Amino acid sequence: MHSSKKVVMDNKKKGPGLLFAKLGIVVLAVFGFTVGGLAFYGDCEKRNYDGCYQYKLQLLKNSANERKAVFIGGSSTNFGIHAKLFEEETGIRAINMGLSAGRSFEAYLESVKPYIKDGDYVFMCPEHPYYHSEFHNIDNGTSMFYLFQNFDAIKINNATDVYNTVKYSLYNGWTGWLNAILQVFDEMLVDVFHTKTPAVYDRWTCNENGDFTFHKDLTPTVYTPGNVSSALNSFTFFDGLRNYINEWKQTVNFTPYLLFAPIDENAIAGDLGFPQLEELIEERTGIKILNSQLESAYPREYFFDTYYHLKWEYGDTHTQLIIDKFIEAETLAIFA
């Protein structure tokens, strides 16, 4: 008799009402974390990596009517280009829009497009993983925070794009909250308990040119991208880039340049295809490449955590190379 009552009670616990209540709690939690996490992306003072893109975009908006140089790319641009140094040496307003190569390159171009005027310079630095992808590739990580900056930056062409948009918005929402909590904990250690340096998590801050100014000095990983010049076999990305730039230049008279990303010299050891790669990319796109990949291959100790992320002092070194090549190219163009 006692055991039969227990069975009845267990059956009640498994009723649909309780299950729907649990489902509702989960849905509300996911929604709350998503909206809250995305909200954190809007505050650069939280030093959230993705959130600082909005700060960079605001710098670009404020400089919309100035003659300027805009650097677009992934983390190699973020850590390898110092727009402040470029501006000081050339006298041209410079903004570093670099963020992460895990997102559609087209989306980055779309996000800056409204603010590029006649006479501006657009420096594009696609890392090697882009060489093997589609120019428009939302599945490669384009995320919802673009909707808060420029609605056209995220393009939904089919059901797969819808699925990936929802997936990445949820992912960015949750990680936004998590990053915010971890940053608060890190700042508490630094500011309240007066530890000398950020203890657990990096504190990303941007200067007035959009350069990240904190490069943690870690031991570089040994990960390399393999035979990069194998990209000679595929031009899907560069065909898309050529068509995009040609269409854009019909409405705005700007000057585009391509840059090779700084890379660990071990990543290209024995890979003899780079001179050919440079020539074929220029021919395919019609866009001038300022620096060769061999010129931008640096010793591993120049990098602070991976083969694209230069330590601050070596970011200066790479930027100086770009400045010299830019001045040379512009001088030749004047006398051509």
Side-chain angles (χ1 to χ4, degrees):
M1 186 73 177
H2 179 73
S3 61
S4 64
K5 286 183 178 180
K6 186 176 185 301
V7 170
V8 172
M9 291 176 66
D10 287 344
N11 286 337
K12 286 182 179 179
K13 288 181 180 178
K14 296 178 182 178
L18 182 60
L19 292 177
F20 278 115
K22 290 180 178 179
L23 178 62
I25 292 172
V26 170
V27 170
L28 287 174
V30 170
F31 177 79
F33 270 84
T34 300
V35 173
L38 291 171
F40 272 111
Y41 282 133
D43 186 359
C44 187
E45 289 305 308
K46 293 294 182 184
R47 290 178 276 276
N48 180 289
Y49 186 82
D50 284 338
C52 281
Y53 194 78
Q54 293 194 14
Y55 174 74
K56 290 167 178 272
L57 195 68
Q58 190 59 50
L59 293 174
L60 184 59
K61 290 178 180 179
N62 293 341
S63 305
N65 296 320
E66 297 180 59
R67 185 179 181 228
K68 57 192 171 295
V70 180
F71 293 87
I72 300 166
S75 56
S76 69
T77 304
N78 212 8
F79 300 109
I81 296 294
H82 291 171
K84 186 178 181 63
L85 178 61
F86 185 94
E87 182 174 311
E88 288 173 350
E89 293 210 13
T90 65
I92 301 171
R93 173 68 172 139
I95 302 169
N96 187 340
M97 298 298 296
L99 188 61
S100 169
R103 298 190 171 91
S104 160
F105 202 78
E106 181 187 23
Y108 284 128
L109 291 172
E110 281 289 308
S111 67
V112 307
K113 191 175 183 179
Y115 315 107
I116 302 300
K117 308 298 181 184
D118 291 349
D120 287 350
Y121 297 94
V122 175
F123 295 86
M124 296 168 287
C125 183
E127 280 109 332
H128 302 113
Y130 279 119
Y131 296 2
H132 303 277
S133 68
E134 298 289 336
F135 178 66
H136 166 67
N137 185 10
I138 197 171
D139 190 47
N140 201 30
T142 303
S143 51
M144 279 293 279
F145 69 82
Y146 282 113
L147 291 175
F148 294 94
Q149 301 153 6
N150 177 6
F151 188 80
D152 293 333
I154 187 167
K155 294 185 177 180
I156 299 177
N157 298 326
N158 50 49
T160 301
D161 287 352
V162 172
Y163 167 74
N164 285 312
T165 301
V166 173
K167 180 173 68 174
Y168 286 114
S169 67
L170 292 175
Y171 169 77
N172 284 328
W174 280 87
T175 55
W177 268 108
L178 179 61
N179 275 317
I181 293 169
L182 296 179
Q183 294 287 1
V184 168
F185 176 68
D186 187 26
E187 291 175 26
M188 181 175 67
L189 290 176
V190 176
D191 300 328
V192 178
F193 295 102
H194 306 293
T195 55
K196 293 182 180 179
T197 59
V200 183
Y201 299 96
D202 295 347
R203 304 174 73 189
W204 305 109
T205 55
C206 289
N207 65 16
E208 65 274 16
N209 294 88
D211 302 316
F212 275 119
T213 56
F214 177 72
H215 294 199
K216 198 171 184 180
D217 190 7
L218 304 176
T219 302
T221 62
V222 295
Y223 174 73
T224 64
N227 192 316
V228 178
S229 67
S230 63
L232 290 169
N233 300 320
S234 173
F235 281 98
T236 304
F237 174 82
F238 290 108
D239 285 342
L241 180 61
R242 178 198 62 219
N243 294 336
Y244 185 95
I245 295 299
N246 286 345
E247 182 179 345
W248 188 2
K249 289 195 69 177
Q250 290 178 11
T251 57
V252 181
N253 184 27
F254 68 94
T255 301
Y257 283 113
L258 276 167
L259 305 178
F260 275 113
I263 195 169
D264 178 358
E265 61 186 11
N266 294 318
I268 62 172
D271 189 349
L272 303 178
F274 285 106
Q276 187 184 5
L277 182 62
E278 179 182 348
E279 179 181 339
L280 289 177
I281 290 174
E282 280 194 348
E283 181 181 327
R284 194 83 178 195
T285 61
I287 302 172
K288 171 70 176 174
I289 298 177
L290 283 185
N291 61 320
S292 72
Q293 185 63 86
L294 293 177
E295 290 175 306
S296 302
Y298 301 109
R300 173 152 292 166
E301 57 267 25
Y302 282 31
F303 298 83
F304 75 97
D305 64 347
T306 188
Y307 68 96
Y308 278 139
H309 299 174
L310 288 171
K311 295 176 183 177
W312 180 264
E313 61 270 29
Y314 299 116
D316 270 355
T317 301
H318 181 67
T319 303
Q320 191 62 58
L321 169 68
I322 300 304
I323 292 169
D324 293 342
K325 294 289 185 178
F326 169 72
I327 293 173
E328 179 183 332
E330 288 294 296
T331 302
L332 289 174
I334 291 173
F335 292 101

